[in-house]
């Protein structure tokens, strides 16, 4: 058969960072051993054929010969590789198998395990099988078992002759495999077993390799930082292309089997480098010098294979096939030793499968070098065992992740409950602080109002009594007391109700009456415009601030403007309360920022009240016209 590059698929392991528990590792090892025994049993020969066959071989004169020569026949034993008898011979060899059939002809089963590479089979002069191409590019039929049910008239009493024409190339172990004749049931069973090992399991291995390559390529694409997945996907693709040699029946796209085998060996070298890098990444290590050296060796091997003269290609392929196969075996062995010595190594979870892969790879190298007389290669079929290792490793990692997630969820729930309790306590404390702050703020505002209004009037009245203790009559004293009473009533009207809310119109009416009397007494005509505030209710603090704002604005008009007329507007316009005090006095200077230059305490108080109300204060003034305007947004 050809120099097969069916060397270890030693590397069909899953790249993950966890390691299997002891029970899972033992289960993996036992399962791997069971599958290995299954492969051995599937490949083992069955009972010997009942019919003895006499086998002879002879070389043909040329590729196009259609009949064997009459002389030169040599007895041979099957399986036969003619390179040992006729070194470097390439062409056609005829095999003649004869046996004696009893007079009473019965059906018989005929099994031909393989022929290498292409051939034609005839029984008693009748062609019963012929491959598509018997000249280069030869049909690659080396791994195809054949079975025939022989019955009259093909099979007759006496001597029967089976002629097998084999077209082969010297470098690829050309020859004929075992041929067995027996009962149809026995030969059919043997054929099914051969087809299972040589074709069905090989094709299943390729399909699994393709699925695994796609799966891990997608996994790596989603998790780029775990480069072991990417190397595993690349390794699977290379192995898929390399192992396709097991079922390929044509050297396409090459014009000869030499080009095909050069490509196959190149794939093996590239695969061995990918496998080395995968094992390093899987184990969490980087060895740049070793990786570069392996890559350079593989590149040199590929160039040598494609540049070597055709006459020397077989020797070059043999060398580089051994280099690639031994590289994989050495990597497997080193990884197994490392996993044995380091209990925490991620490689420990797949060490049993790597050991099985190394054993199968060693077997296939011995078959390749013809130390073992066999035609069966196990490495492609071993992918099932190795995929089991990957599945168990992934399952262990997934189970560990689930346990971590469950533990995390439990801890998270406990922490959330603790945080909720702490937050509730904090909110309660914050609420208490806010209540205390609100009370203090209300007290401070009340004190400020008493100080600004009632306190100021008390101090003024005391000062007047001190300056003129004997010149004030009862009417003057009564006026002072009424002013104090009116200011106190303003505070009471704004904050005295239990529900804390009162229509602004109700609060404004008494103040409007008192201010109008005061201004009229000083010769100032005061005109009011009030609209849409009859049902407007504001918090007590804002109501009081508005009253104080108006009181301060009118007091400024009385004290400083020298005006003869003042217009007061209080109106609700949509979601806004507009307040304006306009007089025709002497005015004052307003700077570019919209504030009064050299402003006194009165204007400072107006600005402070506006800030507390969250309102916009506008000042406009020139001789003959001054306006103080307030625009306060109302809550929805």
């Amino acid at each position: 058969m050809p120099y097969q590059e069916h060397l270890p698929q030693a590397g069909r392991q899953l790249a993950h960072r966890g390691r299997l528990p002891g029970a899972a590792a033992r289960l993996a090892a036992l399962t791997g051993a069971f599958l290995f025994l299954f492969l051995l049993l599937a490949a083992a020969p069955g009972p010997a054929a009942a019919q003895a066959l006499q086998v002879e071989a002879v070389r043909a004169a040329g590729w196009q010969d259609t009949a064997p020569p009459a002389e030169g026949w040599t007895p041979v034993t099957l399986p036969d590789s003619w390179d040992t008898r006729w070194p470097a011979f390439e062409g056609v060899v005829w095999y003649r198998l004869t046996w004696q059939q009893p007079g009473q002809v019965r059906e018989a089963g005929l099994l031909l395990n393989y022929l290498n590479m292409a051939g034609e089979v005839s029984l008693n002069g009748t062609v019963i099988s012929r491959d598509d191409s018997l000249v280069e590019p030869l049909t690659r039929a080396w791994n195809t078992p054949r079975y025939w049910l022989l019955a009259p008239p093909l099979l007759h009493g006496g001597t029967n002759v089976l002629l097998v024409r084999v077209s082969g190339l010297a470098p690829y172990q050309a020859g004929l495999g075992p041929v067995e004749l027996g009962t149809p049931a026995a030969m059919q069973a043997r054929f099914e077993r051969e087809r299972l090992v040589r074709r069905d399991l090989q094709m299943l291995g390729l399909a699994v390799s393709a699925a695994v390559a796609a799966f891990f390529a997608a996994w790596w694409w989603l998790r780029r930082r775990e480069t072991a997945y990417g190397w595993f996907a690349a390794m699977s693709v290379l192995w898929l292309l390399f192992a396709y040699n097991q079922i390929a029946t044509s050297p396409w796209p090459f014009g000869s089997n030499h080009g095909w085998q050069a490509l196959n060996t190149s794939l093996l070298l590239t695969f061995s480098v990918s496998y080395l890098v995968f094992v390093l990444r899987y184990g969490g290590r980087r060895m740049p010098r070793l990786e570069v050296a392996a890559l350079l060796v593989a590149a040199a091997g590929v160039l040598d294979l494609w540049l070597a003269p055709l006459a020397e290609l077989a020797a070059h392929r043999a060398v580089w096939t051994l280099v690639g196969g031994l590289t994989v075996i050495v990597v497997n062995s080193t990884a197994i030793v490392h996993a044995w010595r380091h209990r925490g190594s991620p490689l420990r979870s797949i060490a049993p499968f790597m050991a099985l892969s190394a054993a199968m790879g060693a077997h296939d190298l011995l078959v390749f070098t013809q130390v073992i007389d066999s035609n069966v290669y196990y490495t492609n079929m071993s992918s099932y065992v190795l995929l089991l290792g990957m599945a168990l490793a992934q399952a262990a990692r997934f189970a560990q992740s689930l346990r971590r997630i469950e533990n995390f969820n439990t801890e998270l729930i406990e922490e959330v409950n603790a945080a909720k309790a702490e937050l509730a306590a904090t909110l309660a404390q914050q609420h208490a602080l806010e209540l205390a702050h609100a009370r203090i703020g209300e007290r401070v505002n009340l004190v400020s109002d008493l100080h600004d209004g009632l306190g100021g009037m008390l101090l003024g009245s005391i000062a007047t009594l001190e300056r003129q203790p004997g010149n004030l009559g009862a009417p003057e004293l009564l006026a002072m007391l009424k002013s104090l009473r009116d200011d106190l009533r303003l505070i009471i009207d704004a904050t005295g109700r239990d529900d804390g809310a009162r229509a602004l119109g109700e609060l404004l009416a008494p103040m409007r009456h008192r201010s109008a009397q005061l201004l009229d007494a000083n010769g100032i005509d005061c005109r009011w415009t009030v609209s849409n505030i009859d049902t407007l209710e504001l918090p007590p603090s804002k109501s009081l601030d508005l009253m104080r704002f108006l009181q301060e604005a009118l007091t400024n008009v009385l004290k400083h403007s020298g005006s003869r007329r003042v217009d007061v507007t209080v109106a609700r316009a949509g979601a806004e309360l507009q307040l304006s005090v306009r007089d025709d006095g002497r005015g004052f200077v307003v700077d570019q920022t919209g504030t009064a230059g050299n402003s006194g305490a009165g204007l400072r108080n107006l600005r402070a009240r506006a800030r507390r109300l969250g309102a916009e204060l506008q000042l406009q003034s020139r001789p003959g016209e001054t306006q103080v305007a307030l625009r306060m947004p109302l809550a929805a």
Side-chain angles (χ1 to χ4, degrees), residues 211-243:
V212 168
F215 175 77
F216 282 98
W219 197 332
W220 168 77
W221 183 260
L222 298 174
R223 299 175 63 87
R224 300 286 186 85
R225 59 186 177 85
E226 298 193 51
T227 56
Y229 293 136
W231 282 105
F232 186 82
M235 186 182 70
S236 298
V237 172
L238 290 170
W239 180 259
L240 172 66
L241 297 174
F242 165 70

mmCIF file of all heavy atoms in Angstrom, residues 211-243:
data_model
loop_
_atom_site.group_PDB
_atom_site.id
_atom_site.type_symbol
_atom_site.label_atom_id
_atom_site.label_comp_id
_atom_site.label_asym_id
_atom_site.label_seq_id
_atom_site.Cartn_x
_atom_site.Cartn_y
_atom_site.Cartn_z
ATOM 1 N N ALA A 211 -16.695 18.549 11.989
ATOM 2 C CA ALA A 211 -17.593 19.174 12.972
ATOM 3 C C ALA A 211 -16.799 19.807 14.117
ATOM 4 O O ALA A 211 -17.103 20.919 14.558
ATOM 5 C CB ALA A 211 -18.576 18.132 13.506
ATOM 6 N N VAL A 212 -15.791 19.090 14.580
ATOM 7 C CA VAL A 212 -14.976 19.619 15.682
ATOM 8 C C VAL A 212 -14.240 20.881 15.261
ATOM 9 O O VAL A 212 -14.162 21.858 16.002
ATOM 10 C CB VAL A 212 -13.988 18.540 16.162
ATOM 11 C CG1 VAL A 212 -12.942 19.127 17.089
ATOM 12 C CG2 VAL A 212 -14.746 17.436 16.883
ATOM 13 N N ALA A 213 -13.689 20.872 14.039
ATOM 14 C CA ALA A 213 -12.974 22.055 13.552
ATOM 15 C C ALA A 213 -13.901 23.269 13.499
ATOM 16 O O ALA A 213 -13.539 24.365 13.930
ATOM 17 C CB ALA A 213 -12.384 21.771 12.171
ATOM 18 N N ALA A 214 -15.118 23.077 12.979
ATOM 19 C CA ALA A 214 -16.064 24.189 12.906
ATOM 20 C C ALA A 214 -16.469 24.664 14.292
ATOM 21 O O ALA A 214 -16.559 25.870 14.561
ATOM 22 C CB ALA A 214 -17.302 23.769 12.100
ATOM 23 N N PHE A 215 -16.693 23.720 15.212
ATOM 24 C CA PHE A 215 -17.126 24.080 16.564
ATOM 25 C C PHE A 215 -16.072 24.906 17.293
ATOM 26 O O PHE A 215 -16.355 25.966 17.849
ATOM 27 C CB PHE A 215 -17.442 22.806 17.346
ATOM 28 C CG PHE A 215 -17.789 23.050 18.787
ATOM 29 C CD1 PHE A 215 -19.029 23.528 19.145
ATOM 30 C CD2 PHE A 215 -16.868 22.810 19.786
ATOM 31 C CE1 PHE A 215 -19.358 23.761 20.475
ATOM 32 C CE2 PHE A 215 -17.172 23.037 21.115
ATOM 33 C CZ PHE A 215 -18.425 23.511 21.456
ATOM 34 N N PHE A 216 -14.829 24.422 17.256
ATOM 35 C CA PHE A 216 -13.787 25.135 17.994
ATOM 36 C C PHE A 216 -13.340 26.411 17.291
ATOM 37 O O PHE A 216 -12.875 27.339 17.943
ATOM 38 C CB PHE A 216 -12.612 24.207 18.263
ATOM 39 C CG PHE A 216 -12.867 23.262 19.396
ATOM 40 C CD1 PHE A 216 -13.274 21.966 19.152
ATOM 41 C CD2 PHE A 216 -12.737 23.685 20.704
ATOM 42 C CE1 PHE A 216 -13.540 21.096 20.187
ATOM 43 C CE2 PHE A 216 -13.000 22.820 21.749
ATOM 44 C CZ PHE A 216 -13.395 21.517 21.504
ATOM 45 N N ALA A 217 -13.482 26.458 15.970
ATOM 46 C CA ALA A 217 -13.205 27.719 15.281
ATOM 47 C C ALA A 217 -14.205 28.785 15.716
ATOM 48 O O ALA A 217 -13.826 29.937 15.986
ATOM 49 C CB ALA A 217 -13.268 27.511 13.766
ATOM 50 N N ALA A 218 -15.483 28.407 15.810
ATOM 51 C CA ALA A 218 -16.485 29.365 16.296
ATOM 52 C C ALA A 218 -16.226 29.739 17.751
ATOM 53 O O ALA A 218 -16.379 30.902 18.148
ATOM 54 C CB ALA A 218 -17.890 28.766 16.139
ATOM 55 N N TRP A 219 -15.843 28.765 18.555
ATOM 56 C CA TRP A 219 -15.549 29.028 19.964
ATOM 57 C C TRP A 219 -14.392 30.020 20.097
ATOM 58 O O TRP A 219 -14.450 30.978 20.871
ATOM 59 C CB TRP A 219 -15.207 27.719 20.659
ATOM 60 C CG TRP A 219 -15.272 27.786 22.152
ATOM 61 C CD1 TRP A 219 -15.067 28.873 22.957
ATOM 62 C CD2 TRP A 219 -15.588 26.707 23.037
ATOM 63 N NE1 TRP A 219 -15.227 28.549 24.264
ATOM 64 C CE2 TRP A 219 -15.540 27.221 24.347
ATOM 65 C CE3 TRP A 219 -15.872 25.369 22.849
ATOM 66 C CZ2 TRP A 219 -15.774 26.435 25.457
ATOM 67 C CZ3 TRP A 219 -16.102 24.594 23.960
ATOM 68 C CH2 TRP A 219 -16.063 25.114 25.242
ATOM 69 N N TRP A 220 -13.332 29.779 19.307
ATOM 70 C CA TRP A 220 -12.192 30.701 19.364
ATOM 71 C C TRP A 220 -12.597 32.087 18.879
ATOM 72 O O TRP A 220 -12.153 33.108 19.420
ATOM 73 C CB TRP A 220 -11.052 30.161 18.511
ATOM 74 C CG TRP A 220 -9.971 31.182 18.301
ATOM 75 C CD1 TRP A 220 -9.011 31.570 19.179
ATOM 76 C CD2 TRP A 220 -9.773 31.975 17.123
ATOM 77 N NE1 TRP A 220 -8.221 32.543 18.642
ATOM 78 C CE2 TRP A 220 -8.671 32.820 17.367
ATOM 79 C CE3 TRP A 220 -10.416 32.047 15.896
ATOM 80 C CZ2 TRP A 220 -8.207 33.719 16.424
ATOM 81 C CZ3 TRP A 220 -9.950 32.938 14.951
ATOM 82 C CH2 TRP A 220 -8.865 33.759 15.220
ATOM 83 N N TRP A 221 -13.454 32.165 17.879
ATOM 84 C CA TRP A 221 -13.876 33.459 17.356
ATOM 85 C C TRP A 221 -14.605 34.262 18.426
ATOM 86 O O TRP A 221 -14.500 35.490 18.470
ATOM 87 C CB TRP A 221 -14.775 33.249 16.146
ATOM 88 C CG TRP A 221 -15.192 34.536 15.489
ATOM 89 C CD1 TRP A 221 -16.375 35.192 15.617
ATOM 90 C CD2 TRP A 221 -14.407 35.327 14.595
ATOM 91 N NE1 TRP A 221 -16.380 36.337 14.878
ATOM 92 C CE2 TRP A 221 -15.180 36.451 14.224
ATOM 93 C CE3 TRP A 221 -13.128 35.196 14.069
ATOM 94 C CZ2 TRP A 221 -14.717 37.430 13.351
ATOM 95 C CZ3 TRP A 221 -12.666 36.181 13.203
ATOM 96 C CH2 TRP A 221 -13.461 37.269 12.851
ATOM 97 N N LEU A 222 -15.349 33.563 19.280
ATOM 98 C CA LEU A 222 -16.078 34.240 20.355
ATOM 99 C C LEU A 222 -15.202 34.504 21.570
ATOM 100 O O LEU A 222 -15.517 35.388 22.377
ATOM 101 C CB LEU A 222 -17.297 33.406 20.761
ATOM 102 C CG LEU A 222 -18.348 33.191 19.669
ATOM 103 C CD1 LEU A 222 -19.433 32.234 20.161
ATOM 104 C CD2 LEU A 222 -18.964 34.513 19.252
ATOM 105 N N ARG A 223 -14.116 33.746 21.731
ATOM 106 C CA ARG A 223 -13.228 33.904 22.883
ATOM 107 C C ARG A 223 -11.787 33.964 22.375
ATOM 108 O O ARG A 223 -11.030 33.008 22.484
ATOM 109 C CB ARG A 223 -13.416 32.746 23.868
ATOM 110 C CG ARG A 223 -14.826 32.656 24.440
ATOM 111 C CD ARG A 223 -14.973 31.426 25.316
ATOM 112 N NE ARG A 223 -14.098 31.490 26.468
ATOM 113 C CZ ARG A 223 -14.412 32.072 27.611
ATOM 114 N NH1 ARG A 223 -15.579 32.671 27.751
ATOM 115 N NH2 ARG A 223 -13.568 32.084 28.619
ATOM 116 N N ARG A 224 -11.429 35.122 21.786
ATOM 117 C CA ARG A 224 -10.137 35.250 21.114
ATOM 118 C C ARG A 224 -8.969 35.066 22.070
ATOM 119 O O ARG A 224 -7.888 34.647 21.668
ATOM 120 C CB ARG A 224 -10.034 36.627 20.460
ATOM 121 C CG ARG A 224 -11.097 36.905 19.432
ATOM 122 C CD ARG A 224 -10.843 36.143 18.148
ATOM 123 N NE ARG A 224 -11.769 36.518 17.116
ATOM 124 C CZ ARG A 224 -11.600 37.565 16.310
ATOM 125 N NH1 ARG A 224 -10.527 38.309 16.435
ATOM 126 N NH2 ARG A 224 -12.489 37.839 15.392
ATOM 127 N N ARG A 225 -9.163 35.427 23.331
ATOM 128 C CA ARG A 225 -8.037 35.355 24.260
ATOM 129 C C ARG A 225 -7.624 33.909 24.547
ATOM 130 O O ARG A 225 -6.501 33.647 24.968
ATOM 131 C CB ARG A 225 -8.386 36.074 25.559
ATOM 132 C CG ARG A 225 -9.600 35.512 26.273
ATOM 133 C CD ARG A 225 -9.987 36.359 27.472
ATOM 134 N NE ARG A 225 -11.183 35.888 28.149
ATOM 135 C CZ ARG A 225 -11.182 34.958 29.074
ATOM 136 N NH1 ARG A 225 -10.039 34.390 29.424
ATOM 137 N NH2 ARG A 225 -12.301 34.576 29.648
ATOM 138 N N GLU A 226 -8.505 32.946 24.329
ATOM 139 C CA GLU A 226 -8.160 31.543 24.539
ATOM 140 C C GLU A 226 -7.651 30.976 23.213
ATOM 141 O O GLU A 226 -8.377 30.324 22.464
ATOM 142 C CB GLU A 226 -9.366 30.773 25.061
ATOM 143 C CG GLU A 226 -9.857 31.292 26.414
ATOM 144 C CD GLU A 226 -10.830 30.343 27.071
ATOM 145 O OE1 GLU A 226 -10.514 29.146 27.186
ATOM 146 O OE2 GLU A 226 -11.908 30.803 27.476
ATOM 147 N N THR A 227 -6.374 31.247 22.941
ATOM 148 C CA THR A 227 -5.806 30.885 21.645
ATOM 149 C C THR A 227 -5.707 29.379 21.433
ATOM 150 O O THR A 227 -5.587 28.931 20.290
ATOM 151 C CB THR A 227 -4.412 31.509 21.509
ATOM 152 O OG1 THR A 227 -3.597 31.088 22.620
ATOM 153 C CG2 THR A 227 -4.504 33.033 21.518
ATOM 154 N N ALA A 228 -5.736 28.606 22.511
ATOM 155 C CA ALA A 228 -5.671 27.149 22.345
ATOM 156 C C ALA A 228 -6.825 26.643 21.484
ATOM 157 O O ALA A 228 -6.665 25.701 20.702
ATOM 158 C CB ALA A 228 -5.690 26.470 23.718
ATOM 159 N N TYR A 229 -8.005 27.271 21.597
ATOM 160 C CA TYR A 229 -9.135 26.869 20.771
ATOM 161 C C TYR A 229 -8.841 27.104 19.292
ATOM 162 O O TYR A 229 -9.180 26.293 18.439
ATOM 163 C CB TYR A 229 -10.393 27.642 21.171
ATOM 164 C CG TYR A 229 -10.907 27.306 22.537
ATOM 165 C CD1 TYR A 229 -11.331 28.304 23.415
ATOM 166 C CD2 TYR A 229 -10.965 25.985 22.969
ATOM 167 C CE1 TYR A 229 -11.802 27.999 24.677
ATOM 168 C CE2 TYR A 229 -11.434 25.670 24.229
ATOM 169 C CZ TYR A 229 -11.857 26.686 25.079
ATOM 170 O OH TYR A 229 -12.322 26.392 26.315
ATOM 171 N N GLY A 230 -8.235 28.244 18.975
ATOM 172 C CA GLY A 230 -7.906 28.526 17.588
ATOM 173 C C GLY A 230 -6.902 27.540 17.023
ATOM 174 O O GLY A 230 -7.050 27.059 15.891
ATOM 175 N N TRP A 231 -5.879 27.214 17.822
ATOM 176 C CA TRP A 231 -4.891 26.237 17.355
ATOM 177 C C TRP A 231 -5.520 24.858 17.210
ATOM 178 O O TRP A 231 -5.169 24.098 16.301
ATOM 179 C CB TRP A 231 -3.707 26.194 18.312
ATOM 180 C CG TRP A 231 -2.778 27.342 18.126
ATOM 181 C CD1 TRP A 231 -2.634 28.441 18.916
ATOM 182 C CD2 TRP A 231 -1.861 27.526 17.035
ATOM 183 N NE1 TRP A 231 -1.704 29.302 18.399
ATOM 184 C CE2 TRP A 231 -1.203 28.750 17.248
ATOM 185 C CE3 TRP A 231 -1.539 26.774 15.917
ATOM 186 C CZ2 TRP A 231 -0.237 29.236 16.372
ATOM 187 C CZ3 TRP A 231 -0.582 27.256 15.042
ATOM 188 C CH2 TRP A 231 0.067 28.477 15.268
ATOM 189 N N PHE A 232 -6.439 24.535 18.106
ATOM 190 C CA PHE A 232 -7.098 23.235 17.988
ATOM 191 C C PHE A 232 -7.937 23.166 16.714
ATOM 192 O O PHE A 232 -7.968 22.138 16.017
ATOM 193 C CB PHE A 232 -7.963 22.966 19.206
ATOM 194 C CG PHE A 232 -8.561 21.593 19.218
ATOM 195 C CD1 PHE A 232 -7.833 20.505 19.651
ATOM 196 C CD2 PHE A 232 -9.855 21.385 18.757
ATOM 197 C CE1 PHE A 232 -8.383 19.235 19.632
ATOM 198 C CE2 PHE A 232 -10.412 20.116 18.746
ATOM 199 C CZ PHE A 232 -9.668 19.040 19.188
ATOM 200 N N ALA A 233 -8.633 24.265 16.381
ATOM 201 C CA ALA A 233 -9.423 24.292 15.153
ATOM 202 C C ALA A 233 -8.524 24.152 13.924
ATOM 203 O O ALA A 233 -8.814 23.380 13.002
ATOM 204 C CB ALA A 233 -10.234 25.587 15.084
ATOM 205 N N ALA A 234 -7.400 24.894 13.914
ATOM 206 C CA ALA A 234 -6.472 24.794 12.787
ATOM 207 C C ALA A 234 -5.901 23.382 12.672
ATOM 208 O O ALA A 234 -5.784 22.820 11.563
ATOM 209 C CB ALA A 234 -5.345 25.812 12.961
ATOM 210 N N MET A 235 -5.571 22.800 13.819
ATOM 211 C CA MET A 235 -5.039 21.446 13.845
ATOM 212 C C MET A 235 -6.072 20.448 13.297
ATOM 213 O O MET A 235 -5.735 19.523 12.537
ATOM 214 C CB MET A 235 -4.673 21.099 15.281
ATOM 215 C CG MET A 235 -3.981 19.787 15.489
ATOM 216 S SD MET A 235 -3.690 19.553 17.248
ATOM 217 C CE MET A 235 -5.372 19.305 17.809
ATOM 218 N N SER A 236 -7.347 20.641 13.640
ATOM 219 C CA SER A 236 -8.399 19.740 13.167
ATOM 220 C C SER A 236 -8.577 19.840 11.657
ATOM 221 O O SER A 236 -8.800 18.836 10.974
ATOM 222 C CB SER A 236 -9.715 20.065 13.883
ATOM 223 O OG SER A 236 -9.595 19.877 15.276
ATOM 224 N N VAL A 237 -8.489 21.061 11.132
ATOM 225 C CA VAL A 237 -8.608 21.226 9.677
ATOM 226 C C VAL A 237 -7.447 20.538 8.955
ATOM 227 O O VAL A 237 -7.638 19.842 7.953
ATOM 228 C CB VAL A 237 -8.655 22.729 9.319
ATOM 229 C CG1 VAL A 237 -8.573 22.921 7.812
ATOM 230 C CG2 VAL A 237 -9.934 23.360 9.859
ATOM 231 N N LEU A 238 -6.236 20.719 9.470
ATOM 232 C CA LEU A 238 -5.077 20.078 8.855
ATOM 233 C C LEU A 238 -5.194 18.562 8.908
ATOM 234 O O LEU A 238 -4.861 17.858 7.946
ATOM 235 C CB LEU A 238 -3.796 20.541 9.553
ATOM 236 C CG LEU A 238 -3.402 22.003 9.316
ATOM 237 C CD1 LEU A 238 -2.269 22.403 10.237
ATOM 238 C CD2 LEU A 238 -3.020 22.219 7.856
ATOM 239 N N TRP A 239 -5.660 18.058 10.063
ATOM 240 C CA TRP A 239 -5.822 16.612 10.159
ATOM 241 C C TRP A 239 -6.909 16.106 9.215
ATOM 242 O O TRP A 239 -6.788 15.037 8.607
ATOM 243 C CB TRP A 239 -6.154 16.208 11.581
ATOM 244 C CG TRP A 239 -6.332 14.727 11.691
ATOM 245 C CD1 TRP A 239 -7.483 14.028 11.740
ATOM 246 C CD2 TRP A 239 -5.282 13.754 11.702
ATOM 247 N NE1 TRP A 239 -7.244 12.683 11.796
ATOM 248 C CE2 TRP A 239 -5.887 12.489 11.773
ATOM 249 C CE3 TRP A 239 -3.899 13.843 11.670
ATOM 250 C CZ2 TRP A 239 -5.162 11.318 11.810
ATOM 251 C CZ3 TRP A 239 -3.172 12.673 11.704
ATOM 252 C CH2 TRP A 239 -3.795 11.430 11.779
ATOM 253 N N LEU A 240 -7.971 16.872 9.055
ATOM 254 C CA LEU A 240 -9.035 16.489 8.131
ATOM 255 C C LEU A 240 -8.499 16.348 6.719
ATOM 256 O O LEU A 240 -8.769 15.353 6.021
ATOM 257 C CB LEU A 240 -10.146 17.542 8.182
ATOM 258 C CG LEU A 240 -11.261 17.411 7.149
ATOM 259 C CD1 LEU A 240 -12.059 16.147 7.402
ATOM 260 C CD2 LEU A 240 -12.170 18.630 7.190
ATOM 261 N N LEU A 241 -7.700 17.312 6.282
ATOM 262 C CA LEU A 241 -7.133 17.252 4.932
ATOM 263 C C LEU A 241 -6.132 16.099 4.809
ATOM 264 O O LEU A 241 -6.088 15.399 3.790
ATOM 265 C CB LEU A 241 -6.456 18.580 4.600
ATOM 266 C CG LEU A 241 -7.384 19.801 4.562
ATOM 267 C CD1 LEU A 241 -6.567 21.069 4.363
ATOM 268 C CD2 LEU A 241 -8.438 19.655 3.478
ATOM 269 N N PHE A 242 -5.331 15.913 5.861
ATOM 270 C CA PHE A 242 -4.335 14.843 5.838
ATOM 271 C C PHE A 242 -4.984 13.454 5.825
ATOM 272 O O PHE A 242 -4.614 12.569 5.055
ATOM 273 C CB PHE A 242 -3.421 15.012 7.053
ATOM 274 C CG PHE A 242 -2.585 13.808 7.360
ATOM 275 C CD1 PHE A 242 -1.540 13.439 6.528
ATOM 276 C CD2 PHE A 242 -2.847 13.032 8.479
ATOM 277 C CE1 PHE A 242 -0.762 12.321 6.814
ATOM 278 C CE2 PHE A 242 -2.082 11.920 8.769
ATOM 279 C CZ PHE A 242 -1.036 11.561 7.931
ATOM 280 N N ALA A 243 -5.981 13.255 6.675
ATOM 281 C CA ALA A 243 -6.605 11.936 6.799
ATOM 282 C C ALA A 243 -7.519 11.609 5.628
ATOM 283 O O ALA A 243 -7.934 10.455 5.464
ATOM 284 C CB ALA A 243 -7.399 11.854 8.104
#
